[in-house]
Amino acid sequence: MSVESAPTTRTAAAAAHGDARCFALLPCAGTGSRAGTAQPKQYQPVAGAPMVRHTLAALGPVHRIASVLVVVAPGDGALHSDAEARTVVAPCGGASRAESVLNGLNHLLAHGAAPHDWVLVHDAARCLVTPEQINALIDACLPDAVGGLLALPLPDTLKAEAQGRVAATIDRSHKWLAQTPQMFRIGALQGAYAAHAAGAFAGLTDEASAIEAAGAQPLLVRGSAYNIKVTYPEDFALAEAVLRSRAAPSP
């Protein structure tokens, strides 16, 4: 795996690993059953290209990312490694997102990454993320002892449900919507996921929850309301509109 060296300037808190590099990992082996598409949703065309291509295009300009590992299902030939684009495709996807991430982390460690290097795990279906948001996460996490994630303070009233009716209104103070990328040390994240592999990763819904289960507190870095995870059929129209508006020439 070819890599680029990350910038060597670090704060005192990160001086012990001043040579740490950043890698990105895209779990891309899901079927996207809720999206209502005939193919895995990451390959559904949006604004003229498969959705995952837009996601990769957002990661490309972030030059502090040494390489992007795309974890696909065995036998999936839709994507190919591209040295020029710093993209490696590995057919080591698992039965769940968590298993695909763990397999990807193991792949990184087996192909030259060090446990103290950073990994930014990002959903292939979050195709509206921007290089600026990714760089903001890296800037915030590099000097941090734990790492963190893009997230957004909860803007709406939150309801608890019982049998299709409101059971309670929940205080939304100090509650955030988790987004991706989520950035942690490769070794720490690999260990956090591996500790729950025998239990089918029960309770682990994202990388931050795995790190939390290991006893650490990830940093919250404010993201954007545009950084949605395309999940339902109506989300594709929104993603299409945003991508086309970004591509339109300025008046």
Side-chain angles (χ1 to χ4, degrees), residues 25-59:
L25 192 163
L26 263 65
C28 196
T31 59
S33 57
R34 290 177 293 178
T37 57
Q39 59 188 328
K41 67 178 179 181
Q42 58 268 29
Y43 300 131
Q44 182 72 10
V46 179
M51 179 163 56
V52 68
R53 292 289 185 187
H54 295 291
T55 308
L56 290 170
L59 291 162

Side-chain angles (χ1 to χ4, degrees), residues 55-145:
T55 308
L56 290 170
L59 291 162
V62 183
H63 295 295
R64 285 181 290 181
I65 295 177
S67 66
V68 179
L69 177 67
V70 185
V71 176
V72 301
D76 183 345
L79 297 174
H80 302 281
S81 298
D82 185 340
E84 184 176 347
R86 310 192 315 279
T87 301
V88 176
V89 178
C92 58
S96 66
R97 181 187 185 281
E99 185 176 358
S100 292
V101 172
L102 178 57
N103 291 349
L105 295 170
N106 289 333
H107 186 280
L108 285 172
L109 291 169
H111 290 81
H116 68 263
D117 286 333
W118 295 95
V119 62
L120 288 82
V121 182
H122 185 57
D123 297 320
R126 290 189 188 270
C127 61
L128 301 181
V129 72
T130 66
E132 291 75 19
Q133 292 160 14
I134 299 167
N135 275 311
L137 179 68
I138 294 174
D139 289 340
C141 290
L142 282 179
D144 193 80

